[in-house]
Amino acid sequence: MNSLLKRLQDAFADLQPRERLFVNVGAILIVAAMLYLILLPQWEKYNELSAQQSQLHSDLQWLYQQRDLIARLGNSCPLSVVSKGSKTKRLTRLLRRNQLKLIDMREANNAISLSFTGTDANEMVRLAHEIACDGFVVESFEIVKSPEENNRLAAMMEVSSVE
């Protein structure tokens, strides 16, 4: 290593002053280019992370402003919501629990159509809530007066599973 350094120093000493200037300027330019190539990706990464931090900070502030609204959006579903069994058995069990009479249940394309009757519209709405808590999405829900019986209501509901 020392011999290589000695040869470089001798070769540099043999150069003309103008050639030494060009070699020094060239060495400075090479060092500057290497520093630029090393530091540029770091600088770009820093700017990218700084912009991301700014965006995340503004998102966090927005979420903090929405905390009161989120607290009001809570539902009254129990924590262990999805019961066991097939979809149709779960829906039948919920209908019976709410003392509603199942007329027809059809399953097509991941959707289940229910037709049922009852005497209380509140029980039917409560059923929709329980179905939603049991892991279904209520796609449509319609309650009408039953044409056959005066005091009964007929309802049609289409649900799909979120599983």
Side-chain angles (χ1 to χ4, degrees):
M1 183 75 170
N2 285 338
S3 65
L4 177 64
L5 188 59
K6 180 71 173 151
R7 274 190 264 153
L8 285 175
Q9 286 175 346
D10 289 341
F12 188 73
D14 291 340
L15 295 175
Q16 296 285 330
R18 182 180 64 205
E19 292 171 337
R20 281 189 221 142
L21 178 67
F22 283 132
V23 168
N24 286 334
V25 170
I28 290 172
L29 289 176
I30 288 174
V31 168
M34 288 177 61
L35 284 173
Y36 177 77
L37 291 175
I38 290 171
L39 295 178
L40 181 65
Q42 298 298 326
W43 182 255
E44 289 174 349
K45 187 70 170 177
Y46 171 78
N47 286 337
E48 181 182 320
L49 289 174
S50 178
Q52 185 179 6
Q53 182 213 15
S54 175
Q55 177 65 38
L56 289 173
H57 184 68
S58 65
D59 288 349
L60 187 63
Q61 284 179 333
W62 181 82
L63 285 172
Y64 185 72
Q65 292 169 351
Q66 304 303 317
R67 74 184 182 280
D68 294 332
L69 176 68
I70 299 292
R72 287 186 284 147
L73 292 178
N75 64 32
S76 60
C77 291
L79 292 178
S80 58
V81 291
V82 179
S83 58
K84 296 183 179 178
S86 71
K87 297 175 193 175
T88 55
K89 286 182 181 179
R90 289 171 24 207
L91 290 170
T92 304
R93 188 178 324 121
L94 288 171
L95 278 161
R96 288 182 183 152
R97 185 182 306 154
N98 285 289
Q99 298 178 351
L100 299 170
K101 182 180 176 188
L102 178 64
I103 303 298
D104 187 32
M105 182 182 302
R106 289 187 212 137
E107 193 170 354
N109 296 340
N110 199 26
I112 301 173
S113 297
L114 303 167
S115 297
F116 53 92
T117 61
T119 58
D120 188 6
N122 289 332
E123 289 295 327
M124 293 178 178
V125 172
R126 188 173 299 116
L127 171 70
H129 175 263
E130 289 177 8
I131 286 174
C133 285
D134 202 44
F136 293 94
V137 175
V138 178
E139 301 290 342
S140 66
F141 184 32
E142 181 181 354
I143 301 174
V144 294
K145 283 191 173 188
S146 179
E148 294 98 27
E149 300 178 41
N150 245 356
N151 61 348
R152 295 203 56 87
L153 299 170
M156 291 157 283
M157 182 184 298
E158 186 171 316
V159 299
S160 60
S161 178
V162 293
E163 298 170 349

